[in-house]
Amino acid sequence: MSNRDHPPLSVYLAKLPNRWWLFCALYTCTHLCDWVQAQPATQQPIVYISNDNTTQIEGLNASAQVLTDATNTFTFDQISSKAFQAHFIPYQTFKKNSPKLQKNKTYWAKIAFRNHTTRSHWVLYAGSGAYITLYTQDKGKRYQQKSNGRLVPKSKRDIGSHIVGSNYKFNVLLPQNSTHTLYLKLKGKLYPPRFALKLETPATHLHKKSWLQLIQSFFQGALWIMIIYNLILFAIVKDRTYLYYTAYILTYSVYYLAYYDFFAKQSYLQIYISAVSLPITFISYFLFMQRFVNAQALMPRWTKVIQAWLIGKVVVVVSAITYLYFTANIYKMELVLLLMIFTDLLLMAISLYLLFKSKNTLARYFIIGSFFLMLGWGLSLVSFFKVIQVNFNENYFSQAGLFLELALFSVGLGYRERKNEQDKRIAQEKNARLLKDQNKTLEYKVKERTLEISNKNKALQEKQAQIEEKNNQLVENHDLISRTHDLLNKAYKSIQASIQSGLRIQKAVLPFEERMRKALPKHFVFFRPRDVVSGDFYWFEEVRQQQFLVAADCTGHGIPGAFMTMLCTQALNDIIMRRGVYSPERVLNALDQLLPKILKTNQTSVRDGMDIVLCVIDPQARLLCYAGAMNPLLYIQDNEMTVIKGTRYGINGHRKGGERIQFALHTIDISTPTMIYMFSDGIQDQFGGEQGKKFSSKRLRNLLMELHALPIDEQKQQLAQAVDQWQGDLHQIDDMLLIGARLETPHGSKLPSH
């Protein structure tokens, strides 16, 4: 309610007895001064979100208030205290006083939101900076800290995906119908920071991410296909033109990988690569140009200038990298590299002009290709500076220009090869005609040497025939290699398409995350196939208010393992859903009888099977029933871990004398909060670490004991980080599956009477 909604003060005073006038006047004067002093310097504006169809809110800088920390010593407790609130000033006022932020200072901002929509999850874009910290309130109104920024490693970022701007974005929760104040801390190092606040929905962020990753996957895949192809050509024909062409494509590939944040784990390395990759690209560009168009013949004097510049440039680039490594002063180094790029562009323009004057066909291919590249970069620059408005990343222009340039260069290389073959053939025919004319002249002039000349001619013809035969063989070999490459490429695409189709089928068979999340709110599934498709699978159903949860490891991995998962999944559906077998040990006994019949083990000796963990959770009775084949069940209650080993025989495994195995049933009281873990042997058998040993079951148990008290999502994240760190660069040897679930007694439920 605003002040004008209250009745005037005179109405209250008129109701007071006359003897209270003096007291009220003194009281009002005394506290009015205190009230005026306690008012904040400016009223914090509030950003209202009221439209459910809103996907993006830009221009939020105007609603923010900013504070400068010139000493870099302020803490969040100080900033958020009442004493500091008066020091915040509106962004527009701050911008007038500080039009350019400095890289050696820290800047704080606060912004308030009031969310009247049904959506509470948003993504906040902060701006840019080396280190960005967001302070946001959780459900308990306690401020939580999140980190991001250009120099923050990807593993510590709040949003760490490969998308331009993700290193400046945060996930935020804006509660409905309440005011939520966010604090931001920006600090630069190599570059000054910048505020550019905007809000967008997770769907908008993920849409940008998916499109960018899809486009970059195709882009990088095409570049690397060209790199490998030209390396193969270089190995075959030993022509350095293909080597320089490969280096040119490779440097561009590395530049775009750095630009799209693919080296985020090494933040400084990524900045160095971004700074030096383009100058290095021009080196390979000029080397390729000299070999491609035979610049030594078309413009000999200018070629010497280019060669001298390349030698000097290599020295400057190495010196700049060394200077950057020891000083981290990227400003000065970028100035030197920028001057080199301008020099490269000037030399490039002069070279293209001289090539144009030569009217050489190969030069035309090179000029048109270079024109497409410069056009792409020009459009990228004008869209970056908002001269033209586009709804996509401005760097797509330069990438499209590069693709067109490489297409023209590739066509030119093909024309160059054909022209070389044609010149060789013409030279051979000319030599043949000269030899014939000489033979006739010598025959008329020196008859006595006819026999000798004839013999020499025969020898020359034989050598010529051998040369022609070798040339024909080279042509046949080239055609064979081309056809073989096409066949291999088609076979590879067919195999990949089949595997991807199998992956879609296997994903469709696995339980839907929504159903599992509804029945088991606090659970996670860590699932990492060794190949595209997996021999491990998990299965979930809810029958008669009981939850059936399975983690299984079928024989094999890849496509054979995936076939087994389909058979075993259908066997579980048949036994539990159709036959109505609900006791875990009876389900495993039924599986052990059904699977040999399906595989005709007695006739084919096929012993493929599976190791399995099956749990039946009864929330109302507070009981968990477990049966296992080979694989154990781990559960933790009151910070104590218990390991229940499964029966030491797998489903359809080898038996001594064909004996029938009865699987054991275990019952666990879950009346107290219980954390359970079900897993295959993929994680504990993975080699890694400093000595290349197995992860081991003991190390896995210790890790789960450390993680069990953490939130479910954080457990999964830290488990994945531990596995990645252990595996390092080693190959994954088996499929990995681990399911964790926190079982808590339903509110108000009672134990059954005995």
Side-chain angles (χ1 to χ4, degrees):
M1 181 181 293
S2 63
N3 291 334
R4 65 173 179 269
D5 295 328
H6 293 284
L9 183 60
S10 60
V11 175
Y12 292 103
L13 295 176
K15 295 180 180 181
L16 295 174
N18 293 334
R19 62 178 178 271
W20 290 97
W21 274 91
L22 181 59
F23 172 77
C24 292
L26 292 173
Y27 181 85
T28 302
C29 291
T30 302
H31 290 276
L32 183 60
C33 294
D34 295 337
W35 179 82
V36 171
Q37 294 177 357
Q39 294 308 302
T42 57
Q43 184 68 26
Q44 170 71 46
I46 299 176
V47 180
Y48 290 89
I49 310 173
S50 57
N51 188 353
D52 278 330
N53 295 326
T54 300
T55 60
Q56 185 166 294
I57 305 175
E58 299 183 345
L60 295 179
N61 283 1
S63 301
Q65 292 187 335
V66 185
L67 181 149
T68 303
D69 177 12
T71 62
N72 301 315
T73 58
F74 292 165
T75 64
F76 175 70
D77 292 335
Q78 292 175 309
I79 292 297
S80 59
S81 65
K82 292 183 178 180
F84 267 73
Q85 298 304 303
H87 296 290
F88 281 90
I89 61 175
Y91 177 80
Q92 300 299 339
T93 305
F94 167 81
K95 194 65 177 176
K96 292 179 181 178
N97 299 333
S98 304
K100 186 175 181 181
L101 277 63
Q102 300 180 16
K103 66 177 181 178
N104 57 347
K105 291 184 180 180
T106 302
Y107 298 89
W108 293 80
K110 67 174 182 175
I111 185 169
F113 295 92
R114 190 169 183 86
N115 184 15
H116 292 294
T117 66
T118 58
R119 180 186 291 109
S120 60
H121 184 192
W122 294 82
V123 176
L124 176 69
Y125 180 77
S128 63
Y131 304 97
I132 307 177
T133 306
L134 173 70
Y135 297 88
T136 181
Q137 292 175 313
D138 58 13
K139 294 181 179 179
K141 298 295 183 180
R142 295 183 300 271
Y143 274 96
Q144 302 292 326
Q145 176 179 332
K146 297 182 177 181
S147 298
N148 217 326
R150 191 169 188 180
L151 296 184
V152 176
K154 179 183 175 183
S155 60
K156 297 181 180 179
R157 295 178 183 175
D158 185 50
I159 297 180
S161 57
H162 298 308
I163 178 172
V164 176
S166 289
N167 51 345
Y168 307 130
K169 290 186 178 182
F170 298 88
N171 287 304
V172 294
L173 294 177
L174 301 178
Q176 299 179 13
N177 300 321
S178 65
T179 301
H180 191 83
T181 302
L182 304 177
Y183 287 83
L184 274 169
K185 177 183 177 183
L186 267 71
K187 185 177 181 181
K189 188 169 184 181
L190 301 176
Y191 300 93
R194 179 175 65 93
F195 287 105
L197 299 174
K198 67 178 180 180
L199 206 64
E200 61 186 17
T201 62
T204 302
H205 168 73
L206 292 175
H207 179 74
K208 295 177 182 178
K209 170 185 174 182
S210 60
W211 269 106
L212 187 141
Q213 289 183 338
L214 178 63
I215 292 173
Q216 294 312 307
S217 297
F218 280 114
F219 178 77
Q220 289 292 335
L223 290 187
W224 278 95
I225 289 175
M226 297 177 71
I227 289 170
I228 296 172
Y229 176 74
N230 284 281
L231 279 177
I232 294 174
L233 289 179
F234 168 72
I236 294 173
V237 302
K238 299 296 187 297
D239 187 349
R240 280 185 293 173
T241 307
Y242 295 101
L243 183 62
Y244 297 147
Y245 187 47
T246 301
Y248 179 64
I249 303 172
L250 178 62
T251 51
Y252 258 116
S253 173
V254 172
Y255 167 78
Y256 284 112
L257 286 174
Y259 178 83
Y260 287 104
D261 210 32
F262 278 80
F263 302 112
K265 291 184 178 180
Q266 301 292 334
S267 304
Y268 279 95
L269 177 62
Q270 180 162 272
I271 294 174
Y272 298 162
I273 291 175
S274 299
V276 303
S277 54
L278 279 182
I280 295 176
T281 299
F282 275 104
I283 295 176
S284 54
Y285 173 88
F286 284 120
L287 291 174
F288 171 71
M289 178 192 71
Q290 292 178 352
R291 299 283 302 185
F292 179 76
V293 301
N294 192 12
Q296 187 67 42
L298 295 179
M299 42 184 185
R301 294 182 179 179
W302 182 248
T303 301
K304 294 180 180 180
V305 175
I306 295 293
Q307 291 174 347
W309 164 246
L310 293 180
I311 295 173
K313 184 177 180 180
V314 170
V315 175
V316 174
V317 169
V318 173
S319 302
I321 295 174
T322 305
Y323 175 81
L324 179 62
Y325 178 80
F326 288 103
T327 65
N329 191 340
I330 198 168
Y331 265 165
K332 292 184 178 180
M333 193 205 75
E334 278 195 332
L335 180 61
V336 174
L337 296 177
L338 191 61
L339 290 174
M340 283 196 298
I341 290 176
F342 279 123
T343 306
D344 286 328
L345 291 174
L346 178 61
L347 297 178
M348 176 182 175
I350 297 174
S351 299
L352 295 179
Y353 172 74
L354 295 176
L355 290 175
F356 177 78
K357 288 182 62 178
S358 69
K359 298 182 180 181
N360 181 273
T361 304
L362 282 175
R364 292 177 182 176
Y365 282 104
F366 192 85
I367 293 169
I368 297 173
S370 300
F371 168 78
F372 282 127
L373 178 67
M374 290 188 291
L375 178 63
W377 276 108
L379 291 175
S380 293
L381 288 175
V382 297
S383 60
F384 177 80
F385 290 108
K386 307 303 181 184
V387 178
I388 59 174
Q389 297 290 334
V390 295
N391 296 324
F392 49 84
N393 188 280
E394 64 273 3
N395 228 37
Y396 288 171
F397 285 122
S398 64
Q399 290 179 281
L402 176 63
F403 254 122
L404 293 175
E405 180 195 54
L406 296 180
L408 264 296
F409 286 178
S410 298
V411 173
L413 283 171
Y415 171 81
R416 177 174 174 267
E417 288 299 319
R418 291 193 301 272
K419 188 175 183 302
N420 288 340
E421 291 294 331
Q422 184 179 4
D423 291 342
K424 183 188 295 184
R425 185 170 56 255
I426 292 174
Q428 292 173 349
E429 292 174 355
K430 185 177 180 180
N431 289 336
R433 288 196 300 270
L434 289 174
L435 287 174
K436 186 176 182 181
D437 293 339
Q438 289 176 359
N439 289 336
K440 288 182 179 180
T441 302
L442 291 174
E443 183 178 2
Y444 285 113
K445 288 183 177 180
V446 190
K447 291 184 179 180
E448 61 273 11
R449 299 182 59 188
T450 299
L451 183 60
E452 182 181 355
I453 293 174
S454 177
N455 293 333
K456 289 183 178 180
N457 285 336
K458 289 181 180 179
L460 288 173
Q461 290 175 357
E462 289 178 357
K463 290 182 179 180
Q464 184 67 29
Q466 292 176 358
I467 292 174
E468 290 179 356
E469 183 180 357
K470 290 182 178 179
N471 287 337
N472 293 333
Q473 186 177 1
L474 287 174
V475 173
E476 292 176 358
N477 290 340
H478 182 271
D479 293 340
L480 178 61
I481 291 173
S482 178
R483 291 194 300 272
T484 304
H485 176 268
D486 292 340
L487 291 174
L488 289 175
N489 191 33
K490 291 180 181 179
Y492 174 77
K493 290 181 179 179
S494 176
I495 292 170
Q496 288 298 315
S498 300
I499 293 176
Q500 291 298 325
S501 177
L503 176 62
R504 290 194 295 272
I505 295 172
Q506 190 174 51
K507 285 184 176 180
V509 174
L510 294 175
F512 287 110
E513 175 65 19
E514 292 81 2
R515 291 185 61 241
M516 290 186 66
R517 185 66 62 186
K518 183 177 180 181
L520 294 172
K522 296 182 179 181
H523 86 280
F524 71 88
V525 178
F526 176 79
F527 185 45
R528 183 177 292 179
R530 193 198 78 165
D531 303 314
V532 178
V533 291
S534 173
D536 289 4
F537 74 96
Y538 56 98
W539 187 87
F540 174 82
E541 285 293 343
E542 191 168 20
V543 183
R544 300 192 311 173
Q545 297 183 347
Q546 293 181 339
Q547 298 149 2
F548 290 73
L549 186 59
V550 170
D553 179 3
C554 294
T555 303
H557 37 70
I559 295 177
F563 274 115
M564 285 300 300
T565 64
M566 303 297 293
L567 291 176
C568 295
T569 300
Q570 293 305 314
L572 282 170
N573 286 327
D574 180 73
I575 293 169
I576 296 176
M577 305 304 295
R578 188 179 69 83
R579 299 186 194 178
V581 179
Y582 301 130
S583 182
E585 83 286 0
R586 294 179 57 202
V587 172
L588 297 193
N589 289 331
L591 276 173
D592 197 39
Q593 297 175 11
L594 179 59
L595 201 56
K597 294 179 181 179
I598 296 175
L599 298 175
K600 299 181 177 61
T601 299
N602 293 333
Q603 291 80 22
T604 63
S605 299
V606 175
R607 279 293 179 182
D608 290 347
M610 65 176 166
D611 301 336
I612 185 171
V613 178
L614 172 59
C615 290
V616 180
I617 304 168
D618 191 337
Q620 299 301 321
R622 302 190 198 180
L623 292 176
L624 181 147
C625 297
Y626 152 75
M630 298 297 291
N631 289 347
L633 172 69
L634 272 66
Y635 70 92
I636 301 174
Q637 293 179 340
D638 298 327
N639 290 323
E640 292 188 3
M641 176 182 285
T642 304
V643 180
I644 304 179
K645 296 183 178 180
T647 304
R648 294 182 60 83
Y649 290 94
I651 303 300
N652 196 30
H654 289 280
R655 308 284 194 270
K656 294 181 179 179
E659 59 178 328
R660 178 66 62 187
I661 300 301
Q662 294 297 321
F663 294 92
L665 173 66
H666 303 273
T667 303
I668 303 168
D669 182 1
I670 57 172
S671 58
T672 59
T674 305
M675 189 71 206
I676 67 170
Y677 296 100
M678 312 160 58
F679 47 85
S680 65
D681 58 0
I683 297 177
Q684 62 194 34
D685 288 346
Q686 178 60 46
F687 291 99
E690 295 181 356
Q691 299 179 353
K693 295 183 178 180
K694 287 187 177 182
F695 194 86
S696 78
S697 58
K698 180 179 179 181
R699 184 176 283 105
L700 179 59
R701 291 196 300 269
N702 293 338
L703 175 61
L704 296 177
M705 189 65 190
E706 293 175 3
L707 302 180
H708 83 279
L710 298 177
I712 288 297
D713 293 339
E714 191 171 345
Q715 287 191 44
K716 181 178 179 180
Q717 180 182 1
Q718 294 201 18
L719 174 64
Q721 291 177 359
V723 172
D724 291 339
Q725 183 178 2
W726 178 263
Q727 182 179 343
D729 297 331
L730 296 182
H731 179 67
Q732 182 176 336
I733 65 170
D734 199 358
D735 302 317
M736 297 181 183
L737 172 63
L738 188 146
I739 303 174
R742 181 171 284 122
L743 308 179
E744 298 177 346
T745 305
H747 182 69
S749 63
K750 297 181 180 180
L751 285 169
S753 58
H754 296 282

